[in-house]
Every structure is written in structure tokens, then in C-alpha cells.
Amino acid sequence: MRSSAELAEALRVIVITDRGFAAPRSVAEVVEEALRAGARAIQLRDKSAPARALLEEARQLRHLTRRWNALLFVNDRLDVALAAGADGVHVGPHDLPVADIRAVAPQGFLIGRSAADPLLARQAQEDGADYIGAGPVFPTGTKTDAGEVLGVEVLGRIASSITIPVVGIGGIKPPGAREIARSTDAAGVAVVSAVMAAPDPYQATRELLEPFSIRSGPDPSSPPRSRLT
Amino acid sequence: MRSSAELAEALRVIVITDRGFAAPRSVAEVVEEALRAGARAIQLRDKSAPARALLEEARQLRHLTRRWNALLFVNDRLDVALAAGADGVHVGPHDLPVADIRAVAPQGFLIGRSAADPLLARQAQEDGADYIGAGPVFPTGTKTDAGEVLGVEVLGRIASSITIPVVGIGGIKPPGAREIARSTDAAGVAVVSAVMAAPDPYQATRELLEPFSIRSGPDPSSPPRSRLT
């Protein structure tokens, strides 16, 4: 059984994959650097991949995340997440509703939900979401349909309005992560380009984890292997 | 419990949805005409719809198909099929593998698999598929990536090489359906434009059902309501 505190700790940095940003490196290579640096949550996101190719990617990342005792989420495709034995799925407003996922997913399966305001976040929590990705906190080039920039202040309001972990997403680099850790109750940050496009994904992950690690205590370089089991 | 013979009977005509072909009518309108004419299997196919919109469509068709005692399949998205309470999913070579679906789907959940030769069809049967869609039997404009035209002769070889029901797909109109019923062991046909784009979907469905109804016995206009339950 995983407690909310343990989940929050794993969500200090969620590394969201992007093949384009990772290139010419493979996604797996970049993900492994992030895991080595202490990331404990990976979200496989590839909207253009057919289900079979996505399942193969998910299995590869499942192998890596198991080895590093990290959580694996699949974006959108609950079926791929289930088939790959992922820990959960992350969904947005155009994906399956949280309540419908909860109705068909096995017990303990994690559901992350994007939410851009306190009302949506509360609704997602009530529907059974395990964590909220709130954003975009800063301007971002990764998702062109990401909506209005929230800023750290609104992220803080979302985080303090619900009890499940909230992570900020959207244009977050180390200075933004520090600001979020300092001035909000957010559990962490979710990033795409900040790790996927980083020349040194290990170093980038360390810098993103640091502000949340100071706050929460343990050094991310030596996560006890039993933490998530 | 549904027997293979009952399934084969329901698969005499699988009506695959297409919003573009149905327009300006709604997909539901055209589907209802097909159901009224005796179709007992509908496959919701909409590759461009996000999961939430597809789920809404699936629920609408679930309502209609329940009323007409017909099977509902969802193309590709197992998760949407499960959330909508559909009878099954239909998958092709780029979708989730049959064995992986079988591993996570509830007992009795139906899996259709596209297969273009006897070897692939046999493999799908061994992996746990409940029926095979084999094609393209004739040239078709609906799917540009449908592959080499098989002809009725190869369809017949596929149908006689396995024990689960086989339906022909690809460019099938009433004359093609008659040829297939006369010269192969195929259980039926799957069609997109022949019903979806038909000025009179009721009449089109009747004409597609007829050759298989003569062969199998009962009049499709009065299917006993207990047949599939």
C-alpha cells in the first residue's frame, strides 16, 4: 500500500518523454539518466505512436523504472498502461474521464489528471484522481494547446485547495522549480523539455529535484529502494 | 455464454462507422437504420476522435445496439471499449496484440483481428481472437493503407483454414457479398461505405445480409431477441 506522502515524494519530478526532444538520443537513454539522478516518476507520452509501438516503448520503460524503483505512467492510453503493467495513467480534458478509468482499472492503479484551476482539481480529486498536474505554470512551447499561463500563485492556490499531490507543469526549469518549492504546497514538477532536451539530463534532473528534496528531507541521490514498495 | 455459431450469425454484416461517409446524417442515425434492417454487429471506428469523444460515441451506440440486441465493437481502443461496456474490440497490426488484450480484458470480451493471409489468421486464432476480418477482398478507397487486394479465393482459403468466424472486408457491395456467401466459408462481411455512405442504409444492409441469411436459414428481419443473450 502506497501512502499519499510516499506518492508525493515520488512525484517531486515527473519526467515526461518526448522522442523529438530526446533525439538523437533514445527516450530510454534520457530516461535512464533521469532515473540515475533520482527521478522517481516517468510519464510515457507519445500521441502519434500507434498502440502497439506505444506498448513496446512502455515495456522498455517499465523495465527501467522497475530497476530504479520508480513509477511509470502512460499518457492517455489506459489500455496500453494496463497491458504494460504501468503504475498508472495520466489524462487530460480530452482523454477518458477519471471516474470511468477508476471504474475499470484494477485497485491501486494510479490516475493523474491535468487541471488548470482549483474547481477542476477538486472535481478530479472527487472523481478519484491520485494526483493533479496543474499548468501551464510558465509559458511553454511544448504544448501549443496548453491554455492560459497560470503563474506560481494560481498553482499555489490549486495545491492548497486539495489533499492529493499537485505538481506544476509547463515551462518549468530549475529556477521555476525553486520558486514553486519555496512559495507553494506543490509536491513537485512535471517537465518535458527541461530533461528530454537537456544536454545533460542527469544534471538537469538533479537541479529540478533539489528544491523539493531540501524541503522534504532525504537526499535524492540515495533513495531507499523500499520507499515505493 | 455465446457459441461460435451464434457469434458467426451476428457477424453476417458488421457495419463499421465513418462520420464522413454518414454526413450530413449522424453516425447514430445510419447505424439505427442498419440495426433496423437486421445488422447485429456494429464497429465504432474513429481514428481521429480523442478518447473522451470516442467514449461518448461508444455509449450512444451501446444504447442503440442493446436495444437491437446487437454486438458493439470499438476499433483499436480497448480502454474505450471497456469503459463503454462494449462487447469487444477490433484490432489491426498496429494496435494492441490480441494476446495482450486477452490478458487484461474480462472473460467473454470479444476480440476481432484483421488478417490478410491464412498464417496471420491462424496466429490470431491461437492468440485468442474470436473472429477475423480478412481483406481487402476487393479494391477499396476507404483505407489507403489496406494492402494488396486478396480476392474472394484467398478469403475462402483463410476462412477454411481456421475454426473461428471470418468476415470479408474491403470494397464489399451486395454483388461481392453474394459471391463471398456462394463461394467461401466466410461468416459474413464487414463494410464501411456500403452502409455508411448509402442513400438508403436500411436497404443496403438488407441486400448485404440476404446472401448470408439464405445460407444460414432465419430471416434477418425477425431475429429472436434471445439469440445473443
Side-chain angles (χ1 to χ4, degrees):
Chain A
M1 197 59 183
R2 188 183 297 115
S3 76
S4 186
E6 283 170 320
L7 177 61
E9 172 124 3
L11 301 182
R12 287 179 294 163
V13 172
I14 303 176
V15 175
I16 302 173
T17 68
D18 185 298
R19 265 191 294 165
F21 283 137
R25 305 161 298 188
S26 71
V27 161
E29 267 177 88
V30 178
V31 162
E32 187 150 27
E33 285 300 288
L35 291 168
R36 211 164 61 79
R40 288 298 168 262
I42 305 296
Q43 183 195 130
L44 170 60
R45 186 175 186 278
D46 191 341
K47 287 282 191 188
S48 67
R52 183 173 290 224
L54 195 66
L55 178 61
E56 279 166 27
E57 281 190 82
R59 288 202 161 126
Q60 194 178 14
L61 297 186
R62 175 73 294 184
H63 180 76
L64 281 177
T65 48
R66 278 248 167 78
R67 180 136 52 92
W68 288 94
N69 197 28
L71 298 173
L72 176 65
F73 296 90
V74 176
N75 185 281
D76 175 21
R77 298 271 326 212
L78 167 65
D79 46 6
V80 173
L82 295 176
D87 298 288
V89 70
H90 185 93
V91 289
H94 302 297
D95 304 327
L96 288 175
V98 171
D100 292 293
I101 295 171
R102 193 50 82 208
V104 298
Q107 218 189 344
F109 189 79
L110 297 171
I111 306 175
R113 175 65 158 89
S114 303
D117 64 56
L119 217 68
L120 285 169
R122 179 169 291 276
Q123 185 61 55
Q125 175 176 279
E126 281 168 15
D127 290 344
D130 294 287
Y131 76 88
I132 297 295
V137 180
F138 303 110
T140 169
T142 302
K143 280 186 85 176
T144 48
D145 63 340
E148 207 185 327
V149 170
L150 302 185
V152 172
E153 199 262 329
V154 174
L155 170 64
R157 269 197 277 143
I158 294 173
S160 59
S161 70
I162 55 176
T163 58
I164 58 176
V166 173
V167 300
I169 182 169
I172 296 172
K173 306 278 175 197
R178 282 193 286 275
E179 195 185 339
I180 289 169
R182 192 171 52 233
S183 58
T184 78
D185 290 333
V189 294
V191 295
V192 187
S193 65
V195 169
M196 282 289 132
D200 185 344
Y202 176 89
Q203 186 56 32
T205 304
R206 298 281 299 193
E207 288 176 24
L208 290 162
L209 276 167
E210 198 192 21
F212 296 97
S213 307
I214 291 164
R215 207 175 51 165
S216 72
D219 185 315
S221 66
S222 55
R225 303 222 20 115
S226 62
R227 198 182 291 164
L228 290 172
T229 52
Chain B
M1 197 60 186
R2 188 184 297 116
S3 75
S4 185
E6 283 170 320
L7 177 62
E9 173 123 3
L11 300 182
R12 285 179 296 165
V13 171
I14 303 176
V15 175
I16 303 172
T17 68
D18 186 299
R19 268 191 291 165
F21 283 136
R25 305 161 298 188
S26 71
V27 161
E29 269 178 88
V30 178
V31 163
E32 187 148 28
E33 285 300 287
L35 292 168
R36 211 165 60 78
R40 289 297 169 264
I42 305 296
Q43 182 195 130
L44 170 59
R45 185 175 186 277
D46 191 343
K47 287 283 190 187
S48 67
R52 183 173 291 221
L54 195 66
L55 177 60
E56 279 165 27
E57 284 190 81
R59 287 201 162 125
Q60 195 179 13
L61 297 185
R62 174 73 293 184
H63 181 76
L64 281 176
T65 48
R66 278 247 167 79
R67 180 136 53 91
W68 288 94
N69 198 27
L71 297 173
L72 176 65
F73 296 90
V74 176
N75 185 284
D76 175 19
R77 298 273 322 214
L78 167 65
D79 46 6
V80 173
L82 295 176
D87 298 289
V89 68
H90 185 93
V91 289
H94 302 297
D95 303 327
L96 288 176
V98 171
D100 292 293
I101 296 171
R102 193 50 81 207
V104 297
Q107 219 189 344
F109 189 80
L110 298 171
I111 307 174
R113 175 64 158 88
S114 304
D117 65 56
L119 217 66
L120 285 170
R122 179 170 290 276
Q123 184 60 56
Q125 174 176 280
E126 282 169 15
D127 290 343
D130 294 287
Y131 77 88
I132 296 296
V137 180
F138 303 111
T140 170
T142 301
K143 280 186 82 175
T144 48
D145 63 340
E148 208 184 325
V149 170
L150 301 185
V152 172
E153 199 260 331
V154 174
L155 170 64
R157 268 196 278 145
I158 294 173
S160 58
S161 71
I162 54 176
T163 57
I164 58 176
V166 172
V167 301
I169 183 169
I172 296 171
K173 305 278 174 198
R178 283 193 285 276
E179 196 185 338
I180 289 168
R182 192 170 51 231
S183 58
T184 78
D185 290 332
V189 294
V191 295
V192 187
S193 64
V195 168
M196 281 289 132
D200 185 344
Y202 177 90
Q203 185 57 30
T205 305
R206 298 282 299 191
E207 288 176 24
L208 289 164
L209 276 167
E210 198 191 22
F212 296 97
S213 307
I214 292 165
R215 207 173 51 164
S216 72
D219 186 316
S221 65
S222 56
R225 305 220 20 115
S226 63
R227 198 183 287 164
L228 289 175
T229 52

